[in-house]
Amino acid sequence: MGVSGSNSTDQLGTIGSHAPVLGIDIGGGSVKTAVLIDGHAVAQTVGPRDRPITELLDRLVASAVGEHQIVAVGAGIAGLVDARNGQFLWGPHLSDQPIHIARFLDSLIECHVVDNDANFAAYAEWATGSASDHRVALTVSVGTGIGAGLVVEGAIWRGSAFAGEVGHMRLTETELACPCGRSGCWETLVSGRQLGLEAGRLGLSPTAEALAAAARGGSQQAVDVLRLAGDWLGVGITNLIMALDPSVVVIAGGVSGAGGLILDAAREQIASGLPGAGHRPDVEIVPAAHGRWAAAVGAALFAARRLTGLERSEEKRQSE
Ligand SMILES: [Zn+2]
């Protein structure tokens, strides 16, 4: 996959620096796209995830080629993604059947890159968002579920392959069922899916957005639900800070739209719950500059890097 070897680096650099690129974020509940030129979004779309992943990719790539003449695609997908081979393996909100995304994209466009959606979100926030200038930047994406991405000195940290599946850290003994098949996972306590269920119980439209709107409208019940979710967000982030020691934690994804309604409680929980807090540097907890678009923007930025060969040379350097 990727750029053909027959072009010179100079040509690719020229193409890559100004050519339109498409980022696609396939999440548990929705599909977002961003078309970037020179790093700036010129078009963004959001729609339901209403058909199989390959059909979505087929439609979105064809549309962006036709409308914007895009020349590279980044596809971010929620779940276990083998970025090296461009293969989706498993995602509790999407499918338990492996899909060779890169092989499918080969039939649509020459230059493409595939990764976990939270990794792309983390890259976007490090490259052009709230985590720029940070050496160790953690981005926690709270959408339908929770995923995290860690960028260390400008490179996505993958572990052996699948680092960042933090939504399925078990944080409670209760029997809250998770789509992964277990119970008590972090994302059963705070996620778009969970807040949607809570909104439904309050008689609202079953979305996190409806819950946040009700809270802003003065509903104490909605405020309390969001505060509790924020507490749990803080508990999970505290654990991640202890394990990874980032200098910044960025909150991205759809739920980040609730802003201070959730983030204030999370910050208080971290300030009071982080062991040795007075003896370590403060960790900034900040909303994503790219908000719910972070993964789509990061996918497009990474596609641009693949186009210019930057990302390939970095991979080579890391494997040496
Ligand atoms: Zn789970």
Side-chain angles (χ1 to χ4, degrees):
M1 74 180 176
V3 183
S4 108
S6 59
N7 293 322
S8 79
T9 306
D10 283 343
Q11 281 173 324
L12 288 173
T14 307
I15 295 166
S17 57
H18 301 297
V21 290
L22 171 68
I24 303 174
D25 168 19
I26 299 179
S30 66
V31 179
K32 301 184 188 76
T33 71
V35 175
L36 265 52
I37 297 177
D38 290 337
H40 298 287
V42 295
Q44 289 169 306
T45 68
V46 59
R49 187 178 55 74
D50 57 358
R51 59 194 75 192
I53 290 174
T54 49
E55 281 182 34
L56 284 166
L57 292 171
D58 195 23
R59 192 170 52 112
L60 294 169
V61 171
S63 164
V65 167
E67 278 185 49
H68 301 285
Q69 293 78 51
I70 57 116
V71 294
V73 172
I77 303 166
L80 298 189
V81 176
D82 182 339
R84 194 165 285 269
N85 298 318
Q87 194 170 14
F88 168 87
L89 295 168
W90 171 84
H93 302 287
L94 289 177
S95 170
D96 58 2
Q97 298 297 315
I99 306 169
H100 208 305
I101 304 291
R103 199 172 292 157
F104 182 76
L105 287 174
D106 275 339
S107 66
L108 304 178
I109 194 161
E110 187 178 1
C111 180
H112 50 75
V113 57
V114 179
D115 208 327
N116 171 271
D117 58 343
N119 282 346
F120 278 145
Y123 181 74
E125 290 300 319
W126 174 81
T128 62
S130 297
S132 53
D133 300 329
H134 282 269
R135 197 172 65 82
V136 182
L138 176 68
T139 296
V140 177
S141 291
V142 190
T144 302
I146 303 182
L150 187 70
V151 175
V152 181
E153 293 179 349
I156 295 170
W157 172 257
R158 302 180 189 284
S160 296
F162 308 124
E165 290 296 310
V166 298
H168 304 289
M169 299 191 300
R170 194 171 191 198
L171 291 197
T172 175
E173 285 297 315
T174 64
E175 292 304 312
L176 294 166
C178 182
C180 77
R182 303 192 314 157
S183 64
C185 296
W186 191 16
E187 64 180 53
T188 66
L189 301 160
V190 50
S191 64
R193 179 176 170 274
Q194 170 61 14
L195 292 177
L197 292 173
E198 295 285 353
R201 282 189 201 111
L202 295 182
L204 304 166
S205 155
T207 64
E209 290 79 9
L211 197 63
R216 291 195 182 98
S219 163
Q220 190 57 46
Q221 283 178 305
V223 169
D224 291 345
V225 167
L226 288 167
R227 268 206 76 82
L228 183 60
D231 281 345
W232 280 115
L233 183 62
V235 169
I237 289 174
T238 301
N239 290 348
L240 294 176
I241 291 172
M242 294 304 292
L244 303 170
D245 194 25
S247 56
V248 64
V249 180
V250 181
I251 311 298
V255 172
S256 66
L261 290 164
I262 279 187
L263 286 193
D264 289 350
R267 288 191 184 101
E268 285 168 29
Q269 177 63 236
I270 294 160
S272 64
L274 189 63
H279 302 277
R280 49 195 303 150
D282 286 339
V283 184
E284 291 177 44
I285 313 293
V286 294
H290 297 294
R292 63 189 184 133
W293 299 100
V297 169
L301 289 172
F302 228 82
R305 279 164 57 96
R306 171 64 53 100
L307 193 62
T308 56
L310 272 176
E311 181 253 0
R312 291 197 134 192
S313 54
E314 187 172 275
E315 262 184 13
K316 187 162 177 288
R317 183 170 56 79
Q318 284 186 348
S319 67
E320 280 169 359

